[in-house]
Amino acid sequence: MTLNQLTIHEAHQLLKTGKFSSVELTRACLERLQKIEPRGRALVTETAELAIEKAEEADKLIAQGDIGPLTGIPAIIKDNICTNGVKTTCSSRVLENFTPPYDATVMEKLNSLGVVVLGKANMDEFAMGSSTENSAFFTTRNPWETNRVPGGSSGGSAAAVASGQAIYALGSDTGGSIRQPAGFCNVTGLKPTYGRVSRYGLVAFASSLDQIGPLTRDVTDSALVLNAISGYDPRDSTSAPYPVTDYTCQLSDKLKGLKIGVPKEYFVQGMQAEVETAMKAAIGKLEELGARIEWEVSLPSTPHALAVYYIIAPSEASANLARYDGVKYGFSYDKASSMWEELDKTRQYGFGAEVKRRIMLGTYALSAGYYDAYYLKAQKVRTLIRQEFDRAFERFDALVTPTSPTVPFKIGEKTDDPLQMYLSDVCTLPINIAGLPAISIPAGFADNLPIGMQIIGKPFSEEMILKIAYAYQEATDWHKRTPQI
Ligand code: GLN
């Protein structure tokens, strides 16, 4: 048995029956990590010592019979989620030496359940990107083919789970950053409804879009992690005061009676033929499982989503990133002769090119003369996009689309062309704009490169999309394939 390749629920059963200890499981992941990291580069910070300590604590709990579904199970955390006493860099020079004095709410929750944290995952700087190439430190490699990107911005999290370095990971998703890398690395990635999971302690990128969610090896694990991290948090004013249900309860292999729509606008021009073929086959599978499929559903505002996102997200980012001024957090340029020079140089050296591009885009869109033409207009179209989803969900239990229009692209292929890079999220951005939950699950391969399927639900219907994802997963074995890195 390869311990580091187990799912959460498998590992839990075996920990419970004493087949192995959390320390043994943790060592198996750490060994794998030591082997893969020199090439894969999924981690910014490794916390091996701390992990063993935590695993020992977990083993004590387990010995007393005090074991929850996540107790003693090793995870990797995206490096924009604050971890008390462990560096949280956002893969940015500006936070390179930032050690938070507190835990994000999701970390408090996981800690109270006995999580073993192996390290912090590489990402695009401040979660701006689709490939991890915007990390200020290094690019993570796709374990399926190491000259390709793992997707982004949660590329380190996805690659680590795919290559067996951790049993699961946390990521964040502002426009696709959990789902797109999940699709690129053949793992399961869930973006919960806006408000379902507290973002207290998540370094802010675009506050009306950001959500934290799990990257896992299967759908049951996704439900288990969601159980652990979701719920109302008085410290996040956008978190929803709704009770948390047990998301594993509705997982079943039947889809009888469910109505699923396939929005045609998501089969965009320039989509790779193999992705389209795989999607059609996957949707056919859902039909075989009893779902009623309606092809050719129309969400006509979809083509505007990319423009809307690239006005709203940079606008919010430009405000959120104003705090990195060399005084309050992280890096500070200390050779300046005036306060203004310090501010200027801190931001000049602290931020990478993409982050600066976003700050400029956002500042421009929010400036007095252009606010109405760009920001306000984008907000109006955002409402239209949401209303179209609302109407669709009067008729359907869920919508199904590809996660990305292509398989993972080559490292360097899109770095000189930001627009091409932005296009790799066309299928995932609209979901954040509307605040909906969506999951990406493995749904095929083209030339040994993974293809993801996205299932979108109405707000707070995580049970429904997990149920559909589970039924599909049980009828296929894509998710069981692992890369030969
Ligand atoms: N790729 C998108 C962007 O660069 C989405 C990123 C994300 O979801 N964090 O903004």
Side-chain angles (χ1 to χ4, degrees):
M1 183 173 19
T2 322
L3 300 195
N4 55 297
Q5 288 290 1
L6 294 171
T7 61
I8 296 175
H9 53 99
E10 287 165 350
H12 170 72
Q13 281 312 324
L14 297 165
L15 282 170
K16 204 160 119 184
T17 51
K19 286 278 182 315
F20 51 76
S21 66
S22 171
V23 169
E24 285 169 302
L25 180 62
T26 302
R27 284 199 201 286
C29 290
L30 288 172
E31 254 167 53
R32 177 76 178 161
L33 198 144
Q34 251 91 62
K35 221 156 101 197
I36 303 290
E37 268 311 283
R39 274 179 72 211
R41 313 213 71 186
L43 295 188
V44 175
T45 304
E46 293 179 21
T47 52
E49 249 172 68
L50 198 66
I52 295 294
E53 253 171 57
K54 289 283 177 192
E56 283 166 356
E57 278 172 33
D59 281 332
K60 282 193 198 124
L61 290 176
I62 295 168
Q64 294 160 17
D66 187 3
I67 176 170
L70 300 184
T71 311
I73 305 210
I76 282 172
I77 309 296
K78 188 175 181 179
D79 211 17
N80 58 352
I81 297 175
C82 284
T83 40
N84 191 358
V86 174
K87 267 204 281 187
T88 299
T89 69
C90 274
S91 292
S92 178
R93 294 271 170 235
V94 95
L95 289 177
E96 193 169 1
N97 294 309
F98 173 62
T99 303
Y102 71 104
D103 271 320
T105 296
V106 291
M107 291 316 300
E108 276 183 1
K109 285 181 184 260
L110 290 183
N111 284 331
S112 75
L113 298 170
V115 67
V116 173
V117 175
L118 302 170
K120 305 292 298 282
N122 193 31
M123 54 186 278
D124 287 294
E125 184 175 5
F126 283 102
M128 298 172 188
S130 315
S131 65
T132 81
E133 289 166 297
N134 294 337
S135 165
F137 309 135
F138 47 81
T139 299
T140 299
R141 313 227 150 214
N142 189 313
W144 290 90
E145 212 175 291
T146 50
N147 62 349
R148 292 184 185 259
V149 303
S153 62
S154 311
S157 300
V161 174
S163 58
Q165 294 172 259
I167 308 294
Y168 70 101
L170 288 188
S172 71
D173 190 312
T174 304
S177 279
I178 291 175
R179 291 158 287 156
Q180 186 254 23
F184 276 11
C185 292
N186 203 46
V187 300
T188 298
L190 172 69
K191 183 202 93 72
T193 310
Y194 186 74
R196 179 71 296 184
V197 176
S198 166
R199 295 152 331 140
Y200 177 76
L202 170 70
V203 179
F205 162 13
S207 308
S208 75
L209 303 159
D210 301 337
Q211 258 295 283
I212 296 174
L215 291 117
T216 57
R217 297 215 168 99
D218 72 7
V219 175
T220 306
D221 281 6
S222 189
L224 287 170
V225 180
L226 187 64
N227 281 350
I229 61 174
S230 52
Y232 175 65
D233 177 9
R235 291 177 299 188
D236 173 0
S237 60
T238 63
S239 93
Y242 301 146
V244 180
T245 52
D246 178 355
Y247 293 104
T248 60
C249 275
Q250 290 208 24
L251 303 182
S252 84
D253 51 10
K254 303 245 163 20
L255 296 178
K256 207 151 192 57
L258 294 188
K259 282 173 73 182
I260 298 177
V262 185
K264 61 177 182 204
E265 289 82 2
Y266 285 73
F267 289 80
V268 292
Q269 239 188 4
M271 170 172 274
Q272 208 175 314
E274 291 94 327
V275 173
E276 192 165 341
T277 311
M279 262 327 98
K280 299 218 157 121
I283 296 165
K285 190 54 117 186
L286 296 175
E287 199 162 24
E288 263 173 47
L289 292 166
R292 289 230 312 275
I293 306 289
E294 190 175 317
W295 298 85
E296 300 277 315
V297 174
S298 181
L299 298 170
S301 298
T302 304
H304 302 305
L306 188 81
V308 168
Y309 176 89
Y310 278 99
I311 291 171
I312 293 177
S315 295
E316 294 180 9
S318 73
N320 276 325
L321 271 58
R323 72 190 70 175
Y324 304 101
D325 54 9
V327 178
K328 297 193 274 299
Y329 303 91
F331 169 73
S332 179
Y333 180 78
D334 57 6
K335 289 183 213 57
S337 52
S338 73
M339 184 198 80
W340 292 114
E341 194 192 349
E342 179 184 333
L343 177 63
D344 187 38
K345 293 267 167 55
T346 294
R347 291 168 73 80
Q348 185 182 329
Y349 298 132
F351 291 141
E354 184 61 27
V355 174
K356 287 178 190 160
R357 184 178 296 123
R358 305 276 177 119
I359 292 173
M360 286 193 280
L361 276 172
T363 313
Y364 182 82
L366 290 176
S367 60
Y370 297 104
Y371 183 91
D372 288 1
Y374 293 110
Y375 186 72
L376 196 64
K377 189 58 129 306
Q379 290 291 18
K380 288 180 180 165
V381 183
R382 180 178 196 172
T383 303
L384 290 178
I385 292 171
R386 217 183 31 232
Q387 287 169 344
E388 282 176 14
F389 275 116
D390 287 346
R391 276 199 295 279
F393 284 122
E394 286 168 11
R395 297 172 49 219
F396 300 107
D397 296 294
L399 300 169
V400 170
T401 74
T403 303
S404 308
T406 66
V407 297
F409 44 91
K410 291 223 168 85
I411 291 176
E413 194 180 319
K414 296 183 199 271
T415 36
D416 294 335
D417 189 347
L419 275 180
Q420 276 306 315
M421 189 70 94
Y422 295 173
L423 272 168
S424 69
D425 291 312
V426 272
C427 301
T428 49
L429 302 169
I431 287 64
N432 301 66
I433 289 174
L436 306 172
I439 190 167
S440 175
I441 53 170
F445 282 84
D447 286 337
N448 204 37
L449 292 170
I451 296 172
M453 168 162 72
Q454 172 172 248
I455 306 168
I456 310 161
K458 53 184 97 158
F460 301 99
S461 74
E462 279 83 357
E463 302 95 294
M464 177 61 73
I465 56 174
L466 286 163
K467 177 185 169 131
I468 296 168
Y470 181 81
Y472 177 79
Q473 173 199 281
E474 290 306 284
T476 55
D477 64 0
W478 308 117
H479 66 293
K480 296 217 168 107
R481 300 201 191 175
T482 50
Q484 290 301 323
I485 183 172

